[in-house]
Amino acid sequence: MNIKFANSLRGRFIIFIGGLSVLTTLLLASFHFFQVRSALLGQLEKRGFSVAEQLVQAAAPDIEDENLSHIEDYLWDICADPEVRFVILQDARGQVLADCSHPSVDLALIRSHFVSGAWRPDAAHFFPIKTPNDALFSFSAPVYASGEATTRLGTIRVGITTQPTLASIDRAFWVGIGTWVILGSIGFLGVGFITRLALAPLDRMVGVARSISKGDMSQRVAIDALDEIGSLGVAFNEMSASLASSRDALDARNRELEQVARDRERSLAELKEAQDRLAHSEGTRHAEKLRSVGQMASGVAHDFNNVLAAITGRTQLLKLKLERESPGDQPLKDSLNVIERAALDGAETVRRIQEFSREQHEKAMTRADLNHIVREAVEITRPRWRSQAEQHGARVEVECKLPRVPQIACVPSEIREILTNLIFNSVDAMDSGGTIAISTESLDDGVQLILADTGSGMSDDVKEHIFEPFFTTKGLKGNGL
Ligand SMILES: Nc1ncnc2c1ncn2[C@@H]1O[C@H](COP(=O)(O)OP(=O)(O)OP(=O)(O)O)[C@@H](O)[C@H]1O
Ligand SMILES: [Mg+2]
């Protein structure tokens, strides 16, 4: 993550403290400059007034004595000073009594300044005069008759150039600027250096934190000193050490869990294999058992068929004979009917045994409408589910939901027989009446038929055995076929 300079701690330190140091040095440099400037101007002022005062002292007796030549000598001595640009002595009316000037000075221009409002003959004062090639301060002082302060004899005016003073002020200005730039830069660099020094441990900590976040838990922060940042580093190192140990513990636990998962997977696979083996062997045993039962049943059925054919045949012959010889013997007729009925029922049972053991001939498949077969089966079984049930005081309803379905390939008589048996089973399971619901439905890969009843239902134990031949819960009434 890159932090913008202005948002970083270092950036804020440098901007704030660096800016503060630049401002402080600027204020100090300005203060120093103005101090120097006012000192220099003060010096200039002092000098000008002292020269004017000196001249006043010297000139007063000569003015009284009207010794003008002596005054002129005097003035020229003063003008020899390189900084004095002019000296003018005026009488009380403002007439020039004597003057002298530096060759660069235009005295007529100077005098015009005294006429234009700057004329204050009675007090010492100064004012600036600007000439084409110089800037001057003109100092004036009144000259009084000796021994009194009321009779003004005239005025002394001394012009002193400000150039050396202004040059010194300029110098002071540039020295101030230079000092400010140098001290400001040093301040900035110093702050940068100090913050770099102070924040280096934090930078190192960030680097270590990044390495740890990438998974390298061995990294630690180097501690230079036990100050606040050092303490932070120590706390950080403790945190990473505890993090590393937690991760190791977690890794170890993960490894254990993975091993447990692997073991469990292996055990499950072994268990499944054993189950498969068991199921396979049980299935094989069961199939074996069914095959032998089927073989035995088919043998018994064959013999039984012959016996029953003989009984049926003989019974029918006896019935014919009885019809011819003593048609009025009703009890014998009834007995023969019972024998014939029993033999026919037995033949029916045998037929079902043979069907179960696949002894019967395979019937040809045809395309048929399943809904039609359902309706037939319901009609065929009507006497059983309607009349017989009602005899026992129970009411059984059959509800059919038969939407249009595609034709299916089947042996219709077999499907009809299955349905018939299922309906009989439902009636048997509903002693006190109920509803048998039959529905068909078209699926993607065929047609589905569902038969449900509101009867007693089957226990898990019964469900487990219903497809076993001869399994019945109906005692002698049921065959389990
Ligand atoms: N709709 C049902 N409700 C409750 N139990 C049922 C139902 N259908 C079958 N059973 C149970 O399954 C057993 C086996 O039925 P299965 O039709 O094979 O033989 P069965 O009805 O006993 O004799 P039969 O050979 O005369 O049909 C029944 O004895 C009964 O216990
Ligand atoms: Mg049955």
Side-chain angles (χ1 to χ4, degrees):
M1 183 181 58
N2 284 324
I3 305 171
K4 272 188 174 173
F5 179 76
N7 289 339
S8 68
L9 208 55
R10 177 173 299 137
R12 280 189 294 213
F13 262 123
I14 290 176
I15 290 169
F16 182 71
I17 301 181
L20 209 65
S21 87
V22 165
L23 213 66
T24 312
T25 47
L26 178 64
L27 283 176
L28 284 176
S30 309
F31 180 72
H32 177 70
F33 165 70
F34 285 112
Q35 286 280 96
V36 169
R37 184 174 177 274
S38 84
L40 288 171
L41 289 174
Q43 269 174 24
L44 182 67
E45 201 180 314
K46 220 157 131 190
R47 170 113 193 278
F49 280 122
S50 112
V51 171
E53 198 48 42
Q54 216 180 314
L55 274 171
V56 165
Q57 298 298 327
D62 287 334
I63 296 173
E64 276 174 318
D65 300 346
E66 291 184 2
N67 189 0
L68 287 181
S69 65
H70 188 230
I71 290 173
E72 269 186 7
D73 291 347
Y74 212 86
L75 295 193
W76 280 110
D77 279 352
I78 296 294
C79 269
D81 187 322
E83 288 184 20
V84 175
R85 287 291 184 262
F86 66 84
V87 182
I88 300 172
L89 174 60
Q90 292 169 302
D91 64 13
R93 292 188 314 277
Q95 291 298 314
V96 175
L97 296 175
D99 62 12
C100 69
S101 67
H102 192 267
S104 64
V105 173
D106 178 359
L107 267 178
L109 181 82
I110 300 295
R111 278 196 212 107
S112 70
H113 276 91
F114 302 142
V115 179
S116 58
W119 175 243
R120 286 182 57 203
D122 53 340
H125 66 278
F126 82 98
F127 60 90
I129 296 176
K130 191 98 183 110
T131 68
N133 48 18
D134 208 347
L136 310 171
F137 272 3
S138 170
F139 295 91
S140 303
V143 184
Y144 291 98
S146 42
E148 50 173 301
T150 47
T151 314
R152 192 169 60 79
L153 302 173
T155 304
I156 278 290
R157 295 181 183 278
V158 179
I160 293 184
T161 179
T162 58
Q163 269 174 354
T165 306
L166 290 182
S168 298
I169 290 174
D170 261 10
R171 235 186 347 268
F173 174 76
W174 287 114
V175 165
I177 292 278
T179 312
W180 172 57
V181 169
I182 290 167
L183 287 182
S185 308
I186 289 173
F188 242 107
L189 291 175
V191 170
F193 180 70
I194 288 167
T195 44
R196 173 173 283 272
L197 215 64
L199 298 179
L202 282 182
D203 281 347
R204 284 204 297 272
M205 220 178 287
V206 170
V208 172
R210 287 212 175 111
S211 305
I212 289 175
S213 74
K214 283 180 191 148
D216 182 3
M217 292 286 185
S218 63
Q219 294 288 331
R220 293 290 178 274
V221 180
I223 309 293
D224 297 335
L226 265 181
D227 50 14
E228 287 85 343
I229 292 183
S231 307
L232 181 64
V234 170
F236 186 86
N237 284 346
E238 284 169 3
M239 186 190 75
S240 359
S242 104
L243 217 65
S245 75
S246 312
R247 200 191 64 171
D248 290 349
L250 211 67
D251 282 353
R253 186 86 192 110
N254 265 351
R255 278 196 296 278
E256 274 173 30
L257 283 174
E258 274 168 16
Q259 186 57 42
V260 168
R262 272 199 298 276
D263 288 352
R264 189 162 296 175
E265 237 168 68
R266 206 174 37 247
S267 310
L268 275 176
E270 282 169 8
L271 198 69
K272 190 154 179 344
E273 210 179 303
Q275 265 178 346
D276 287 351
R277 269 203 308 272
L278 195 69
H280 186 253
S281 68
E282 266 181 8
T284 319
R285 229 180 19 249
H286 192 67
E288 198 58 47
K289 204 166 116 189
L290 283 184
R291 202 167 43 246
S292 45
V293 168
Q295 275 171 358
M296 187 192 77
S298 107
V300 171
H302 187 261
D303 294 345
F304 231 75
N305 239 356
N306 292 341
V307 173
L308 289 171
I311 293 173
T312 318
R314 290 286 160 183
T315 310
Q316 283 166 356
L317 281 176
L318 281 173
K319 271 172 77 182
L320 284 175
K321 198 172 172 195
L322 186 68
E323 198 63 44
R324 265 194 324 272
E325 291 173 8
S326 52
D329 191 350
Q330 194 56 39
L332 192 57
K333 206 172 173 182
D334 289 347
S335 299
L336 286 173
N337 276 339
V338 169
I339 293 170
E340 188 190 32
R341 182 76 256 149
L344 286 173
D345 282 355
E348 177 62 16
T349 303
V350 169
R351 186 188 67 79
R352 287 167 72 181
I353 290 171
Q354 279 175 328
E355 264 182 18
F356 175 79
S357 56
R358 297 281 180 265
E359 277 279 299
Q360 84 279 29
H361 299 296
E362 286 293 328
K363 294 172 186 161
M365 287 235 205
T366 56
R367 290 172 69 80
D369 178 4
L370 189 58
N371 289 344
H372 181 69
I373 300 174
V374 170
R375 283 189 206 100
E376 276 181 348
V378 170
E379 278 317 306
I380 292 167
T381 56
R382 185 179 289 275
R384 175 84 180 268
W385 58 261
R386 171 61 50 86
S387 324
Q388 227 169 293
E390 274 173 8
Q391 276 171 17
H392 297 99
R395 186 173 173 76
V396 174
E397 294 288 344
V398 176
E399 284 176 2
C400 293
K401 205 162 121 203
L402 307 170
R404 226 178 139 71
V405 291
Q407 290 198 328
I408 54 165
C410 65
V411 180
S413 62
E414 284 185 350
I415 302 288
R416 204 165 30 243
E417 189 173 351
I418 289 169
L419 271 167
T420 307
N421 279 297
L422 288 176
I423 292 170
F424 286 167
N425 281 351
S426 293
V427 175
D428 290 345
M430 294 191 296
D431 281 343
S432 37
T435 307
I436 301 169
I438 309 172
S439 61
T440 51
E441 192 187 346
S442 174
L443 302 180
D444 287 344
D445 55 350
V447 175
Q448 173 177 264
L449 182 141
I450 297 175
L451 186 145
D453 62 53
T454 55
S456 58
M458 284 181 263
S459 66
D460 287 344
D461 191 39
V462 170
K463 273 186 211 159
E464 221 172 88
H465 294 102
I466 47 166
F467 292 113
E468 285 176 12
F470 309 116
F471 172 79
T472 181
T473 58
K474 298 172 189 168
L476 290 173
K477 265 171 66 195
N479 294 311
L481 290 171

Coordinates of all heavy atoms in Angstrom, one line a residue, residues 249-263:
A249 N 0.3 -24.4 15.8 CA -0.6 -25.3 16.5 C -1.8 -25.7 15.6 O -2.2 -26.8 15.5 CB -1.2 -24.6 17.8
L250 N -2.2 -24.7 14.8 CA -3.3 -24.9 13.9 C -2.9 -25.8 12.8 O -3.7 -26.7 12.4 CB -3.7 -23.5 13.3 CG -5.1 -23.3 12.9 CD1 -6.0 -23.3 14.2 CD2 -5.3 -22.0 12.1
D251 N -1.7 -25.7 12.3 CA -1.2 -26.6 11.3 C -1.1 -28.0 11.8 O -1.6 -28.9 11.1 CB 0.3 -26.1 10.8 CG 0.2 -24.9 9.9 OD1 -0.9 -24.6 9.5 OD2 1.2 -24.4 9.6
A252 N -0.6 -28.1 13.0 CA -0.5 -29.5 13.6 C -1.9 -30.1 13.7 O -2.2 -31.2 13.4 CB 0.1 -29.4 15.0
R253 N -2.9 -29.3 14.2 CA -4.3 -29.8 14.4 C -4.8 -30.1 13.0 O -5.5 -31.2 12.9 CB -5.1 -28.6 15.0 CG -6.4 -29.0 15.4 CD -6.5 -29.6 16.8 NE -7.8 -30.2 17.0 CZ -8.1 -31.5 17.0 NH1 -7.1 -32.4 16.9 NH2 -9.3 -32.0 17.2
N254 N -4.5 -29.3 12.0 CA -5.0 -29.6 10.6 C -4.5 -30.9 10.1 O -5.2 -31.7 9.5 CB -4.5 -28.5 9.7 CG -5.6 -27.4 9.5 OD1 -6.7 -27.6 10.0 ND2 -5.3 -26.3 8.9
R255 N -3.2 -31.1 10.4 CA -2.6 -32.3 9.9 C -3.3 -33.5 10.6 O -3.6 -34.5 10.0 CB -1.1 -32.3 10.2 CG -0.3 -31.6 9.2 CD 1.2 -31.9 9.2 NE 1.8 -31.5 10.5 CZ 2.2 -30.2 10.7 NH1 2.1 -29.3 9.8 NH2 2.6 -29.9 11.9
E256 N -3.5 -33.4 12.0 CA -4.2 -34.5 12.7 C -5.5 -34.7 12.1 O -5.9 -35.9 11.9 CB -4.4 -34.0 14.2 CG -3.2 -34.3 15.1 CD -3.4 -33.7 16.4 OE1 -4.6 -33.6 16.9 OE2 -2.4 -33.3 17.1
L257 N -6.3 -33.6 11.8 CA -7.6 -33.8 11.3 C -7.6 -34.4 9.9 O -8.4 -35.3 9.6 CB -8.3 -32.4 11.2 CG -8.8 -31.9 12.5 CD1 -9.4 -30.5 12.3 CD2 -9.9 -32.8 13.0
E258 N -6.6 -34.0 9.1 CA -6.5 -34.6 7.8 C -6.3 -36.1 7.9 O -6.8 -36.9 7.2 CB -5.3 -34.0 7.0 CG -5.8 -32.7 6.3 CD -4.6 -31.9 5.8 OE1 -3.5 -32.5 5.7 OE2 -4.8 -30.7 5.5
Q259 N -5.4 -36.5 8.9 CA -5.1 -37.9 9.1 C -6.3 -38.7 9.5 O -6.7 -39.7 9.0 CB -4.0 -38.0 10.2 CG -3.5 -39.5 10.4 CD -2.9 -40.1 9.1 OE1 -2.2 -39.4 8.3 NE2 -3.3 -41.3 8.8
V260 N -7.1 -38.0 10.4 CA -8.3 -38.6 10.9 C -9.3 -38.8 9.7 O -9.9 -39.9 9.6 CB -9.0 -37.7 12.0 CG1 -10.4 -38.2 12.3 CG2 -8.2 -37.8 13.3
A261 N -9.4 -37.8 8.9 CA -10.3 -37.8 7.7 C -9.9 -39.0 6.8 O -10.7 -39.7 6.3 CB -10.3 -36.5 7.0
R262 N -8.5 -39.1 6.6 CA -8.0 -40.1 5.7 C -8.4 -41.5 6.3 O -8.8 -42.4 5.6 CB -6.5 -40.0 5.5 CG -6.2 -39.1 4.3 CD -4.7 -39.3 3.9 NE -3.8 -39.0 4.9 CZ -3.3 -37.8 5.2 NH1 -3.7 -36.8 4.5 NH2 -2.5 -37.6 6.2
D263 N -8.1 -41.6 7.6 CA -8.4 -42.9 8.3 C -9.9 -43.3 8.1 O -10.2 -44.4 7.8 CB -8.1 -42.9 9.8 CG -6.5 -42.8 10.0 OD1 -5.8 -43.0 9.0 OD2 -6.1 -42.6 11.1

